[in-house]
Amino acid sequence: MKRCNVLVTGVGAIIGYGIIKSLRMSKYECNIIGMDVYGDAVGQAWTDEFVKAEWASSDDYIEFLETLIRKKEIDLVFFGTEQEIERVINSENKYLIDKCVLNKKNLIDLSNDKWSTYKMLTAYQFPAILSSVAKDYDRIVQEMGSPFLLKPRKSYAGKGMRKINSKEEFLFWSEKISDDNYMVQKITGDDEHEYTAATFGLADGTCIKPIIMKRKLSQEGATSKAYVINNSEIEKQIYEFVHILKPEGPVNFQFRFENGEYYLLEINPRISSSTSIRTAFGYNEAEMCMEWYLEHNAPANRNIKQGMALRYIDEWVKWDENGGHF
């Protein structure tokens, strides 16, 4: 295959530079153009070219992205932020959509609404974390116990989620969420029993063999420690989800364990923040996307290595030889 021009967005954050790392470790020769709304985004250190981006919320974003793709003759776009995925999939711009790593719109819409996800789980009789849109504090405590979680139905990386310990807290925080974005949820499991799993959907209700990791989260909400495991119960649930939802491309599932059951926390129909860890264990999602979206070949099952991964803080340093200011 010829050397490809690949655009990776959001390269200042963990998903973006995780995709870059995975592309560099893949079997493909790529000219990587990175983009980010911040001109000092660290991911530019590992790209062949860097472009300062428009915000996904900008009126000019779609035009900016299409112009960039045409100018740089981009073969495939990888998104490092959820906001851009949502903006492009809702743009109805066929040229853009055909150039991007995007899952099916109905699955993206489902995953963006935690209440809709809960209703899907209960409709198909999956283990589901007790959730409600009721605003009666006493009723909530009677059904879920205290404390419980108050969260927006639509948010990213846990933003806006609050642990509610009292009626006063509930009254204060519930007023800050609109009725159509409000829900409460029982606290299920704990930080010691959380799992992240990924597969690649083939759009027909089938997928490749998943990679499953037990993990611990950082304060920022990304995986800080991961242990590759075999878990037949989680794997069985994933195959059932895939059969129903028919994802196309990378899809990430997060679970918590309590009282003998694995409960789905959320579905992310995209490349997630653990992608570089998965690549290190032989499961390279960026490479699979190149196979599927560019060569139109179904990715094969990967030979997944066992082991653990620990993330740590490092730095990229760029010296200014002229003694100027950044």
Side-chain angles (χ1 to χ4, degrees):
M1 187 177 181
K2 69 177 179 69
R3 183 176 175 89
C4 299
N5 291 325
V6 176
L7 176 65
V8 182
T9 80
V11 299
I14 194 167
I15 298 176
Y17 53 74
I19 293 170
I20 295 169
K21 185 175 183 179
S22 299
L23 286 167
R24 294 300 189 204
M25 295 175 68
S26 76
K27 63 186 179 184
Y28 295 99
E29 288 291 325
C30 296
N31 177 54
I32 302 176
I33 294 102
M35 78 178 210
D36 198 281
V37 295
Y38 297 107
D40 59 357
V42 68
Q44 67 184 286
W46 306 296
T47 61
D48 297 293
E49 186 178 346
F50 176 74
V51 177
K52 192 172 184 299
E54 294 278 351
W55 289 89
S57 58
S58 167
D59 291 340
D60 299 325
Y61 174 78
I62 294 297
E63 182 181 354
F64 161 80
L65 184 59
E66 182 175 345
T67 300
L68 180 63
I69 291 170
R70 292 184 186 276
K71 180 180 178 181
K72 301 294 183 182
E73 298 181 340
I74 299 297
D75 296 296
L76 191 62
V77 179
F78 289 84
F79 290 110
T81 72
E82 293 173 275
Q83 294 92 331
E84 289 174 292
I85 290 173
E86 189 170 350
R87 184 68 190 277
V88 171
I89 201 70
N90 289 315
S91 72
E92 299 183 355
N93 184 319
K94 189 176 186 305
Y95 174 81
L96 273 188
I97 291 170
D98 288 345
K99 286 284 185 179
C100 299
V101 173
L102 289 170
N103 222 301
K104 293 182 177 178
K105 186 178 185 305
N106 62 333
L107 180 53
I108 293 172
D109 291 342
L110 175 72
S111 68
N112 282 343
D113 188 329
K114 297 174 181 64
W115 180 244
S116 294
T117 301
Y118 171 73
K119 289 194 293 183
M120 181 276 294
L121 292 172
T122 56
Y124 286 100
Q125 299 183 317
F126 287 106
I129 299 173
L130 182 61
S131 303
S132 175
V133 291
K135 281 202 167 183
D136 184 325
Y137 176 81
D138 294 330
R139 175 184 164 187
I140 293 167
V141 171
Q142 184 178 10
E143 293 178 353
M144 300 185 181
S146 179
F148 59 87
L149 296 177
L150 171 67
K151 55 171 63 175
R153 288 171 53 168
K154 300 179 180 181
S155 66
Y156 304 102
K159 289 181 173 59
M161 184 170 67
R162 303 284 176 181
K163 181 187 284 188
I164 302 299
N165 296 281
S166 67
K167 190 168 188 176
E168 290 73 23
E169 285 184 355
F170 174 73
L171 292 174
F172 179 81
W173 290 112
S174 63
E175 288 300 314
K176 296 185 179 299
I177 302 179
S178 62
D179 288 347
D180 62 353
N181 198 31
Y182 161 93
M183 67 178 287
V184 290
Q185 192 172 72
K186 182 180 183 293
I187 296 175
T188 300
D190 56 44
D191 294 343
E192 299 301 315
H193 297 90
E194 185 155 321
Y195 302 82
T196 181
T199 189
F200 195 100
L202 304 179
D204 60 356
T206 65
C207 63
I208 69 169
K209 181 178 174 59
I211 179 171
I212 302 169
M213 299 187 293
K214 187 175 182 182
R215 71 166 181 185
K216 290 188 177 180
L217 291 175
S218 67
Q219 290 184 341
E220 291 75 30
T223 298
S224 63
K225 299 179 181 180
Y227 309 83
V228 178
I229 63 169
N230 294 311
N231 187 305
S232 59
E233 293 181 54
I234 290 178
E235 191 168 310
K236 179 175 180 289
Q237 274 202 50
I238 288 171
Y239 286 135
E240 290 172 348
F241 287 136
V242 168
H243 177 71
I244 293 164
L245 300 172
K246 297 178 173 54
E248 179 177 9
V251 58
N252 168 251
F253 301 90
Q254 297 173 18
F255 296 87
R256 274 200 170 189
F257 179 77
E258 183 178 82
N259 297 329
E261 294 278 12
Y262 291 92
Y263 292 89
L264 183 74
L265 282 176
E266 59 183 50
I267 305 169
N268 297 307
R270 56 175 173 79
I271 293 175
S272 73
S273 64
S274 300
T275 191
S276 59
I277 294 177
R278 290 191 282 268
T279 293
F281 289 105
Y283 188 96
N284 190 326
E285 291 166 295
E287 182 177 86
M288 295 178 205
C289 289
M290 299 287 282
E291 293 172 348
W292 179 259
Y293 292 97
L294 289 185
E295 297 195 285
H296 308 293
N297 292 326
N301 288 337
R302 263 38 184 186
N303 181 23
I304 298 170
K305 300 172 185 176
Q306 300 295 302
M308 66 176 290
L310 305 177
R311 278 183 165 146
Y312 61 96
I313 296 174
D314 199 357
E315 56 279 322
W316 172 66
V317 177
K318 181 179 180 181
W319 290 276
D320 183 358
E321 302 295 342
N322 299 316
H325 297 283
F326 292 102

